[in-house]
Amino acid sequence: MNIHTIKGFPIFLEKLLESFEKNKNTNEIYQQIEIPLFFGQFDTNIKGDINNGIRFFDKEKSPYYSLYENGEVVKNGEVTLKEFQKIFMSYLEEQYSKQ
C-alpha cells in the first residue's frame, strides 16, 4: 500500500527540529505551529471511485466519515472534524502495522 506524504507534516517536523535546536519548550513549539487538519486518505480506481481508505464528509447538519475496503463502505460514523483526527491517526497506524 502506498500512503502519500501528509501535506504539512514535513513543515511541522522542520519547525520541531528548529525549536529543539534553540532549546525551546515543547508546549511553546505546538503553540507556534498550525497543525493541518486531515480529511482522509484513500486510493481510487480509474473512474474516481474509492477503493480503499478513509474519508471525512463535512456535512453541515451531520458530519461523518466512511471507511472503505475493496470499493465498499465497511463502516460509517457521525463525528466532528476534531473527533475524526483521532480516528484518522488510528487508521494510519493500523495500515502501517500491516506493512
Side-chain angles (χ1 to χ4, degrees), residues 45-60:
N45 63 20
I46 192 105
K47 295 179 187 177
D49 300 323
I50 297 175
N51 289 327
N52 296 293
I54 187 168
R55 182 174 178 202
F56 177 77
F57 295 90
D58 193 14
K59 301 294 181 188
E60 189 174 320

Side-chain angles (χ1 to χ4, degrees), residues 70 81 87 89:
N70 300 315
L81 181 56
I87 295 167
M89 295 311 260

Side-chain angles (χ1 to χ4, degrees), residues 5-16:
T5 303
I6 299 169
K7 184 178 179 181
F9 193 67
I11 295 167
F12 171 77
L13 289 177
E14 180 180 315
K15 296 288 184 187
L16 186 63

Side-chain angles (χ1 to χ4, degrees), residues 15-75:
K15 296 288 184 187
L16 186 63
L17 290 172
E18 283 176 15
S19 43
F20 281 139
E21 289 173 1
K22 295 177 183 177
N23 295 321
K24 288 187 179 177
N25 182 322
T26 306
N27 287 333
E28 210 176 305
I29 298 165
Y30 288 117
Q31 291 171 359
Q32 293 175 2
I33 301 171
E34 184 177 322
I35 299 173
L37 296 174
F38 304 107
F39 288 82
Q41 183 278 321
F42 48 87
D43 62 72
T44 60
N45 63 20
I46 192 105
K47 295 179 187 177
D49 300 323
I50 297 175
N51 289 327
N52 296 293
I54 187 168
R55 182 174 178 202
F56 177 77
F57 295 90
D58 193 14
K59 301 294 181 188
E60 189 174 320
K61 293 185 179 182
S62 57
Y64 68 97
Y65 79 97
S66 293
L67 183 63
Y68 299 83
E69 289 180 9
N70 300 315
E72 300 291 325
V73 174
V74 294
K75 186 173 184 180

